[in-house]
């Protein structure tokens, strides 16, 4: 009975926390609405976009940067290799939009094991304006992209970010990735920000150049294996806060395989584990599987129906998640309840493996994911 009691207590507490996080995210994340107008006397903005290889939606996502309803901005594309196949696409877009100031910077500066950060350094140095946006190549920018980032800047802000909202899924596993990105990760990130625990997200980051440059510039983001983790710690150390846009910007997915989803999510999990271990530890209970098991244990201990208890917990978790996904316009289908279940089944081994995995891969680049202390120890032993 004692085991059943504590299992029931855990199930109830986890379900309540899950519901509260969904409620906070529902309030905090805005649904579809009219574009924001350009503010009077808008400041000039530099948009730095690292590019690498051709993706299914490269034409659409890169073109979206040229079609913003903002009167004064420049685009800086960064590519590490002069043989990258994305270069002709970028050059054609630059030629098609001559009215938009743009340039292509070729060549990286190796300041870390993070290839994306290495690719951005020269672009940051080329940026001409005080306001700088670092934006991944797979972000589909709405026409009011700049205005929405600016609208979230407050007096206590050090950085404004956007999580990715998975969109345009093609197939079962792409829908699973949407379930990871949208109603799980974006939801928890917005709930955390509302409670005062804002974390940076590298998909879209709006900086005041003077804030970052006064603290070591973009090279200071090499302090962590993930540039967004380094940005979070830098901003907090400055006594400022990370804030999020009113709703995530889209990342079109296209087709995904099971292994692509697994290794991409494992990479992010490992990065969170290394950079913020105390916040990563509770992630094991962020899905419904453990509460469902605990609900079954409670029912068995008190002579109730185990299948009904498990079903009741599943409904308490997934019905609100389905509702917020529909309200925010996130991809849903007839198989969404099963997709939520598959995602949560992946969370448990992914969480466990993230504690022991050392090497990950990002676009063909092998990376050793360790804390700075571990890197220093490894370097000392090598010497």
């Amino acid at each position: 009975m004692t085991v059943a009691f504590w299992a029931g207590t855990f199930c109830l507490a986890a379900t309540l926390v899950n519901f509260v996080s969904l409620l906070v995210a529902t309030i905090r994340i805005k649904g579809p609405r009219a574009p924001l107008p350009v503010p009077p006397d808008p400041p000039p903005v530099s948009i730095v976009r690292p590019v690498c290889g051709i993706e299914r939606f490269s034409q659409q996502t890169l073109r979206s940067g040229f079609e913003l309803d903002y009167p004064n901005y420049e685009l800086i594309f960064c590519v590490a290799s002069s043989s990258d196949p994305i270069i002709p696409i970028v050059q054609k877009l630059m030629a098609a939009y001559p009215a938009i100031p743009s340039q292509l910077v070729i060549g990286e500066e190796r300041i870390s094991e993070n290839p994306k950060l290495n690719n951005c350094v020269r672009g940051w140095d080329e940026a001409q304006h005080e306001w700088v946006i670092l934006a991944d190549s797979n972000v589909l920018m709405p026409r009011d992209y700049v205005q929405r980032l600016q609208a979230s800047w407050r007096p206590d802000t050090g950085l404004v970010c956007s999580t990715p909202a998975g969109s345009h899924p093609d197939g079962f596993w792409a829908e699973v990735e949407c379930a990871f990105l949208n109603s799980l990760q974006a939801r928890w990130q917005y709930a955390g920000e509302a409670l005062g625990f804002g974390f940076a997200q590298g998909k879209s980051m709006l900086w005041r150049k003077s804030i970052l440059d006064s603290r070591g510039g973009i090279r200071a983001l090499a302090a962590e294996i993930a540039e967004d983790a380094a940005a979070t710690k830098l901003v907090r150390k400055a006594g400022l806060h990370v804030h999020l846009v009113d709703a995530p910007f889209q990342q079109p997915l296209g087709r995904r395989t099971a292994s692509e989803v697994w290794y991409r999510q494992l990479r992010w999990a490992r990065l969170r584990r290394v950079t913020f271990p105390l916040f990563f530890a509770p992630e094991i209970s962020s899905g419904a599987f453990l509460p469902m098991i605990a609900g079954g244990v409670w029912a068995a201990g008190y002579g109730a129906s185990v299948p009904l208890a498990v079903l009741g917990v599943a409904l308490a978790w997934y019905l609100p998640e389905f509702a917020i996904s529909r309200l925010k316009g996130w991809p849903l289908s007839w198989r969404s309840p099963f997709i939520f279940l598959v995602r949560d089944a992946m969370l448990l081994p992914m969480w466990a493996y993230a504690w022991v995995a050392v090497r990950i891969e990002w676009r063909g680049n092998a990376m050793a994911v360790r804390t700075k202390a571990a890197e220093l120890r490894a370097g000392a032993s090598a010497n």
Side-chain angles (χ1 to χ4, degrees):
M1 295 291 288
T2 302
V3 173
F5 171 79
W6 287 113
T9 301
F10 166 75
C11 177
L12 182 61
T15 302
L16 181 61
V17 169
N18 179 71
F19 181 78
V20 170
S21 72
L22 284 166
L23 181 61
V24 171
T26 300
I27 297 170
R28 178 66 182 83
I29 300 173
K30 305 301 180 186
R33 45 111 181 99
L36 292 178
V38 178
D41 195 24
V45 174
S46 299
I47 301 177
V48 178
R49 301 197 80 170
V51 292
C52 178
I54 299 175
E55 300 173 296
R56 176 175 171 181
F57 292 95
S58 290
Q59 285 276 4
Q60 295 93 319
T61 57
L62 297 182
R63 184 182 297 276
S64 69
F66 288 93
E67 298 180 342
L68 303 178
D69 286 333
Y70 198 80
N72 192 358
Y73 71 98
E74 64 171 349
L75 282 168
I76 303 171
F77 296 95
C78 310
V79 62
S81 171
S82 59
S83 61
D84 196 300
I86 194 65
I87 289 178
I89 293 176
V90 173
Q91 290 173 331
K92 287 180 181 179
L93 287 170
M94 292 170 62
Y97 294 86
I100 305 298
S102 60
Q103 62 173 304
L104 176 63
V105 178
I106 300 176
E108 63 180 353
E109 184 174 325
R110 292 186 174 272
I111 61 172
S112 71
E113 281 200 86
N114 182 340
K116 185 178 95 173
L117 179 61
N118 297 342
N119 197 10
C120 287
V121 174
R122 293 184 180 179
W124 178 273
D125 292 342
E126 289 290 326
Q128 298 297 306
H129 305 307
E130 166 68 357
W131 294 96
V132 182
I133 299 170
L134 297 178
D136 281 4
S137 60
N138 55 14
V139 174
L140 186 62
M141 299 177 175
R143 299 185 75 90
D144 62 346
Y145 177 76
V146 177
Q147 296 94 298
R148 286 174 57 186
L149 284 164
Q150 292 174 336
S152 293
W153 196 277
R154 310 169 198 168
D156 66 343
T157 300
L159 180 62
V160 172
C161 297
S162 171
T163 66
S167 68
H168 303 78
D170 181 4
F172 178 85
W173 288 105
E175 291 183 44
V176 171
E177 183 142 56
C178 281
F180 269 108
L181 294 175
N182 301 346
S183 51
L184 181 70
Q185 293 168 357
R187 174 253 295 209
W188 279 108
Q189 193 155 351
Y190 274 87
E193 185 234 20
L195 297 174
F197 299 102
F199 288 85
Q201 169 58 256
K203 283 294 172 184
S204 291
M205 299 197 294
L206 172 65
W207 290 95
R208 292 199 68 161
K209 207 167 193 290
S210 56
I211 291 178
L212 186 53
D213 283 347
S214 67
R215 290 164 177 82
I218 194 170
R219 293 163 181 82
L221 301 186
E224 300 284 345
I225 186 64
E227 79 284 352
D228 41 18
T232 300
K233 295 179 180 182
L234 183 148
V235 167
R236 291 180 180 178
K237 189 175 181 180
L240 301 170
H241 297 278
V242 176
H243 292 128
L244 300 175
V245 294
D246 60 357
F249 298 127
Q250 289 186 31
Q251 177 187 335
L253 299 182
R255 182 160 290 275
R256 291 286 192 267
T257 65
S259 62
E260 286 174 335
V261 175
W262 168 261
Y263 284 112
R264 183 178 291 107
Q265 293 299 324
L266 177 61
R267 181 179 79 238
W268 292 340
R270 179 59 182 164
L271 292 172
R272 295 194 301 273
R273 147 72 184 100
V274 168
T275 54
F276 293 100
L278 293 180
F279 287 96
F280 177 75
E283 284 193 22
I284 192 172
S285 58
S286 61
F289 253 64
L290 284 185
M292 289 165 62
I293 294 170
V297 172
W298 172 86
Y302 285 94
S305 170
V306 172
L308 285 179
V310 172
L311 178 61
V313 174
L315 291 174
W317 278 68
Y318 294 142
L319 285 180
E321 184 174 353
F322 190 92
I324 187 176
S325 297
R326 180 171 293 279
L327 187 65
K328 304 308 175 185
W330 295 332
L332 288 171
S333 71
W334 61 268
R335 53 192 177 189
S336 289
F338 182 62
I339 284 168
F340 294 156
L341 198 63
V342 170
R343 176 203 64 197
D344 288 352
M346 295 172 67
L347 282 174
L348 300 183
M350 192 176 292
W351 180 89
Y353 191 45
W355 288 93
V356 297
V358 174
R359 300 201 68 81
I360 61 172
E361 186 172 302
W362 186 84
R363 293 196 175 188
N365 296 277
M367 302 165 61
V369 183
R370 298 177 292 204
T371 62
K372 277 295 171 182
E375 288 180 5
L376 291 174
R377 288 196 298 270
S381 62
N383 293 330

